[in-house]
């Protein structure tokens, strides 16, 4: 190890073989870490030096692949040795203390924490306890430091998305460990969540809109978004794991804090949602659709059900408005809400159209009105998004292209809950007619060459409840001209329009 760049080719091969054969052996790993010596530095200081040396060699021009193998196995050594506190509290505390010390550069920035977390991200599988210890210490160190960003971490911090940001490799590890993500972001335990959501500057955040989807997803900010999603839902992004139901108290706290923090306190805060957080927040809103439907469809006197979210309707709408800058992302929320309405509608039987004192069944009428209010709120988001970009023809073209029903049909399969909360054939029929009707009307409304103005955007979802009600009436043989069916449709429309006005005034500050 100490020969590093002066290793001959056979020696490098020998070191590769030794490390590959033993990196997952705890006795070997603890012995190696305790015995490291680099230019007189020992223990954690020596490990950080070797991380820098072998990290540089792994990206060099000579035998880079061999050094990558050694570097990756050194990461595995660290993970193996620290599992279950194997190196002991004093050694771990000494490692984090060494990581906090400024490096040897004349500028005085810290290259030790990036060396530690880069090593952690190079292949080792770290246990939750060590991940949390390093993550909490790093955020605390950065949050309380007088310098930030490039001044703290050096010029590599902003060369490209995530490069040189010591938080990136930790987020990469944590995004696939929902239990660690929960504890790391739990607002009742620490200040990590609000700092990372609101106060931290992320590398190249102002350029996120120009990154490719893969670059954005693998930036440190993008990986934080995936950690946020894992912490709030109990599932890693793109995980085949069934969702957690019900959400536990920690997940609900994370979701609630994310909505209230990102939703802000006033109109205009909807413009502050970072590009990297659009998809994670849309996934989270869709995953919490029972709660978000409750918030959007009622004037709640208290927390939502079933999760007990305290975020306001306005805060939720501002977050959804932030996601709607990307129509594909917004579609996930709209489709999840449509599915939730259909699921609830399918629970009613023939009594839904029963005549009660010349009025429809009160429970069903109450559901219909609430659903109209929720769908109206989402259409207010959609209309606000397009009108905010009314002079941007390319934006409208992109929106229209992505609203194609066949494409939306593909997206429907991506909704969290599509497979694990089956809505049944009847409810799925409601979903199909509602999304088809909505998508076609959105396409027509956005086609400004034909429409001339965008006022029709405020009515694109008006008939969603109408076609769903018609489908339900057909199910029970209720004629299309039935008086009660007409009353239900009219009542839903009133709540739909009222909800649009409320959303524009209260959430977005517009008349």
């Amino acid at each position: 190890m100490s020969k590093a760049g002066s290793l001959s080719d056979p020696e490098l091969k020998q070191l590769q073989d030794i490390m590959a054969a033993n990196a997952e052996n705890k006795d070997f790993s603890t012995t190696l870490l305790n015995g490291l010596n680099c230019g007189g530095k020992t223990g954690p200081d020596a490990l950080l030096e070797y991380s820098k040396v072998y990290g540089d060699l792994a990206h060099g021009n000579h035998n880079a692949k061999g050094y990558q193998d050694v570097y990756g196995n050194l990461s595995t050594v660290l993970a193996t040795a620290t599992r279950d506190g194997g190196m002991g509290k004093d050694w771990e505390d000494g490692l984090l203390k060494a990581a906090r010390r400024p490096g040897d550069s004349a500028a005085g920035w810290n290259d030790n924490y990036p060396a530690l977390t880069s090593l952690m991200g190079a292949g080792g599988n770290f246990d939750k306890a060590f991940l949390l210890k390093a993550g909490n210490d790093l955020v605390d160190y950065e949050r309380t430091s007088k310098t930030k960003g490039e001044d703290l971490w050096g010029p590599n911090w902003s060369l490209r998305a995530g490069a040189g940001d010591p938080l990136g490799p930790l987020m990469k590890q944590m995004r696939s460990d929902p239990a660690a993500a929960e504890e790391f972001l739990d607002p009742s335990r620490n200040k990590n969540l609000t700092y990372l959501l609101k106060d931290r500057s992320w590398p190249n955040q102002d350029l996120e809109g120009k990154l490719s989807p893969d670059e954005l997803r693998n930036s440190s900010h993008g990986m934080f978004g995936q950690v946020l999603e894992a912490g709030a839902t109990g599932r890693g992004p793109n995980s085949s794991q069934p969702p957690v139901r019900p959400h536990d108290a920690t997940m609900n706290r994370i979701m609630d804090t994310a909505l209230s923090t990102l939703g802000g306190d006033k109109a205009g805060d909807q413009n502050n949602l970072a590009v990297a957080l659009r998809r994670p927040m849309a996934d989270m809103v869709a995953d919490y659709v029972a709660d978000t439907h409750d918030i959007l469809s009622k004037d709640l006197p208290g927390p939502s059900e079933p999760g007990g979210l305290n975020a306001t309707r306005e805060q939720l709408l501002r977050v959804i408005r932030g996601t709607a800058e990307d129509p594909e992302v917004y579609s996930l929320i709209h489709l999840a809400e449509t599915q939730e309405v259909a699921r609830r509608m399918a629970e009613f039987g023939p009594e839904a159209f029963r005549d009660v004192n010349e009025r429809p069944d009160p429970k069903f009428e109450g559901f219909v009105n609430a659903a109209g209010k929720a769908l109206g709120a989402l259409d207010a988001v959609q209309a606000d998004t397009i009108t905010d970009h009314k002079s941007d023809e390319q934006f409208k073209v992109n929106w229209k292209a992505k609203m194609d029903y066949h494409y939306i049909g593909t997206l429907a399969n991506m909704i969290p809950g599509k497979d694990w909360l089956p809505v049944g054939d009847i409810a799925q029929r409601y979903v199909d007619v509602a999304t088809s009707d909505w998508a076609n009307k959105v396409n027509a409304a956005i086609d400004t060459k034909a429409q001339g103005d965008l006022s029709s955007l405020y009515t694109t979802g008006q008939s969603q409840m109408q076609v769903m009600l018609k489908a339900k009436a057909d199910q029970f043989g209720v004629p299309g001209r039935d008086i009660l069916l007409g009353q239900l449709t009219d009542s839903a429309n009133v709540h739909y329009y009222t909800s649009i006005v409320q959303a524009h005034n209260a959430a977005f500050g517009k008349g």
Side-chain angles (χ1 to χ4, degrees):
M1 286 288 293
S2 64
K3 295 183 72 172
S6 63
L7 285 165
S8 66
D9 289 352
E11 287 173 329
L12 175 57
K13 179 63 168 61
Q14 185 181 10
L15 180 58
Q16 282 179 261
D17 293 343
I18 292 172
M19 296 289 282
N22 297 283
E24 295 184 6
N25 180 290
K26 193 151 192 174
D27 288 338
F28 173 89
S29 297
T30 54
T31 301
L32 176 59
L33 292 188
N34 281 318
L36 288 178
N37 188 309
C38 184
K41 293 182 178 181
T42 59
D45 293 291
L47 176 65
L48 296 180
E49 289 304 310
Y50 279 127
S51 175
K52 297 172 193 176
V53 170
Y54 279 91
D56 288 342
L57 291 169
H59 295 89
N61 295 321
H62 180 67
N63 284 335
K65 177 62 172 65
Y67 285 111
Q68 287 170 15
D69 290 343
V70 173
Y71 187 63
N73 278 312
L74 183 60
S75 177
T76 302
V77 162
L78 179 60
T80 302
T82 54
R83 194 162 293 126
D84 301 321
M87 288 301 293
K89 181 179 183 299
D90 289 345
W91 190 92
E92 289 184 358
D93 289 347
L95 177 62
L96 299 181
K97 184 177 180 180
R100 283 177 173 244
R101 284 195 286 270
D104 298 327
S105 71
W109 57 67
N110 183 311
D111 64 353
N112 282 315
Y113 240 126
L116 172 59
T117 60
S118 292
L119 181 62
M120 291 177 67
N125 183 18
F126 291 82
D127 71 3
K128 184 179 80 166
F130 190 76
L131 269 179
L132 288 171
K133 188 167 187 174
N136 289 332
D137 186 77
L138 172 56
V139 172
D140 177 72
Y141 169 68
E142 182 182 87
R143 185 174 57 83
T144 58
S145 176
K146 292 181 180 179
T147 56
K148 310 287 184 186
E150 189 172 334
D151 292 334
L152 177 60
W153 302 120
N156 283 339
W157 184 81
S158 59
L159 281 177
R160 61 184 186 277
D165 183 354
L167 202 58
L170 281 176
M171 296 296 94
K172 183 180 180 181
Q173 286 269 338
M174 207 174 286
R175 64 183 175 180
S176 58
D177 189 342
E182 273 194 67
E183 193 168 331
F184 178 67
L185 296 176
D186 185 357
S188 71
R189 292 175 179 266
N190 53 56
K191 300 177 181 178
N192 295 346
L193 182 56
T194 51
Y195 172 73
L196 297 174
L197 281 174
K198 183 178 180 181
D199 300 326
R200 189 181 201 247
S201 295
W202 294 84
N204 298 323
Q205 185 170 340
D206 57 336
L207 301 176
E208 285 180 354
K210 298 181 180 179
L211 299 177
S212 71
D214 285 342
E215 288 174 326
L216 186 64
R217 190 164 42 249
N218 293 313
S219 68
S220 58
H221 203 185
M223 288 188 285
F224 162 67
Q226 294 163 58
V227 172
L228 176 63
E229 182 179 338
T233 66
R235 307 171 72 230
N238 305 315
S239 172
S240 59
Q241 168 199 351
V244 177
R245 289 293 183 274
H247 298 114
D248 65 31
T250 302
M251 296 176 200
N252 287 319
R253 280 194 295 271
I254 293 171
M255 180 64 173
D256 206 22
T257 300
L259 288 176
S260 60
T261 301
L262 297 174
D265 299 319
K266 60 185 184 301
D269 288 336
Q270 65 268 20
N271 299 321
N272 298 330
L273 185 63
V275 176
L277 298 183
R278 289 174 185 168
R279 178 59 189 262
M281 287 307 302
D283 286 344
M284 289 160 59
V285 170
D287 194 74
Y288 279 76
V289 67
D291 284 276
T292 57
H293 173 84
D294 204 33
I295 295 170
L296 293 176
S297 64
K298 303 172 185 175
D299 296 316
L300 293 177
S304 66
E305 293 182 359
L309 302 183
N310 291 291
T312 67
R313 188 168 186 260
E314 289 72 34
Q315 288 170 331
L316 173 59
L317 282 171
R318 285 193 283 266
V319 169
I320 297 174
R321 171 63 185 84
T323 71
E325 290 294 309
D326 183 334
E328 180 179 336
V329 169
Y330 169 74
S331 293
L332 294 175
I333 295 175
H334 192 280
L335 283 162
E337 172 60 29
T338 302
Q339 186 185 47
E340 180 68 8
V341 170
R343 184 187 66 78
R344 295 184 183 218
M345 179 179 280
E347 294 175 352
F348 289 90
E351 78 283 355
F353 298 97
R354 183 180 59 191
D355 189 326
V356 180
N357 299 322
E358 299 184 351
R359 293 295 304 171
D361 176 73
K363 289 184 178 180
F364 188 60
E365 185 175 21
F367 156 75
V368 168
N369 291 342
K373 185 171 184 176
L375 293 171
L378 291 188
D379 280 351
V381 169
Q382 167 190 290
D384 188 72
T385 304
I386 299 300
T387 52
D388 276 355
H389 293 274
K390 60 185 177 182
S391 61
D392 186 344
E393 290 300 322
Q394 188 58 50
F395 185 91
K396 288 181 286 188
V397 167
N398 291 341
W399 246 88
K400 183 177 178 181
K402 290 185 178 183
M403 285 301 104
D404 178 83
Y405 175 58
H406 299 294
Y407 191 63
I408 286 182
T410 302
L411 280 173
N413 294 318
M414 299 164 57
I415 298 177
K418 175 75 176 179
D419 298 322
W420 43 266
L421 278 180
V423 295
D425 293 341
I426 293 174
Q428 188 57 50
R429 197 178 314 148
Y430 303 156
V431 173
D432 290 341
V433 297
T435 52
S436 176
D437 181 84
W438 173 72
N440 289 334
K441 285 183 169 57
V442 173
N443 273 346
I446 295 174
D447 189 356
T448 54
K449 292 181 181 177
Q451 292 294 121
D453 69 75
L454 295 172
S455 60
S456 56
L457 279 165
Y458 295 87
T459 62
T460 55
Q462 177 184 355
S463 63
Q464 268 198 285
M465 279 305 299
Q466 181 177 339
V467 297
M468 294 171 84
L469 283 168
K470 178 65 167 59
K472 189 164 190 67
D474 290 345
Q475 177 189 352
F476 296 116
V478 177
R481 294 185 179 182
D482 182 79
I483 294 175
L484 297 182
L485 177 59
Q487 289 175 339
L488 286 166
T489 301
D490 291 343
S491 184
N493 287 343
V494 169
H495 285 80
Y496 171 87
Y497 284 114
T498 300
S499 182
I500 286 178
V501 173
Q502 286 179 343
H504 277 285
N505 289 339
F508 308 139
K510 300 175 181 178

